[in-house]
Amino acid sequence: MKKSLCLSILIINLIFHFSHAQNFNILSDSLYSEVLKEQRQLQIILPKHYSRESKEKFDVIYALDGESTISEVAFVQQFLQKEGFVPPAIIVGVHN
């Protein structure tokens, strides 16, 4: 029973992860950490109506372990935004 439940949860999680991974335009960048003495990779998802020329400001959500969590964070943020609970936001995934 426990094995089938764990397997079901794993399969659902994988389907969830891969079904939402392609819905976002993810930009890549990096920065150098003086503290860690290494380059850190970043993934950035901008709001759909983001424009460099606009003076509109956005909240920023930082997703740690971004290489594996950014799609889920973006999906939840967009769902909550569509339901009217949160404003549009910039999402930054910081790789571990």
Side-chain angles (χ1 to χ4, degrees), residues 3-18:
K3 284 184 181 181
S4 63
L5 179 61
C6 288
L7 183 59
S8 298
I9 291 172
L10 176 63
I11 290 170
I12 290 169
N13 189 19
L14 287 173
I15 291 169
F16 174 81
H17 177 73
F18 289 113

Side-chain angles (χ1 to χ4, degrees), residues 20 24 26 45 61 63 69-81 91:
H20 299 293
F24 309 107
I26 300 176
I45 299 175
I61 300 170
T69 62
I70 194 164
S71 293
E72 288 85 358
V73 171
F75 174 76
V76 170
Q77 192 280 333
Q78 284 192 356
F79 173 79
L80 293 174
Q81 180 185 333
I91 301 171

Side-chain angles (χ1 to χ4, degrees), residues 16-64:
F16 174 81
H17 177 73
F18 289 113
S19 67
H20 299 293
Q22 290 84 21
N23 294 341
F24 309 107
N25 186 17
I26 300 176
L27 306 172
S28 296
D29 203 349
S30 66
L31 60 84
Y32 183 77
S33 170
E34 289 289 335
V35 173
L36 299 173
K37 304 288 187 221
E38 65 184 22
Q39 200 76 13
R40 298 302 254 186
Q41 296 300 314
L42 304 173
Q43 294 178 306
I44 304 158
I45 299 175
L46 300 172
K48 291 184 189 233
H49 60 279
Y50 175 84
S51 170
R52 286 186 175 194
E53 290 78 32
S54 173
K55 298 211 184 268
E56 186 175 4
K57 295 186 179 190
F58 296 96
D59 293 336
V60 179
I61 300 170
Y62 293 96
L64 303 180

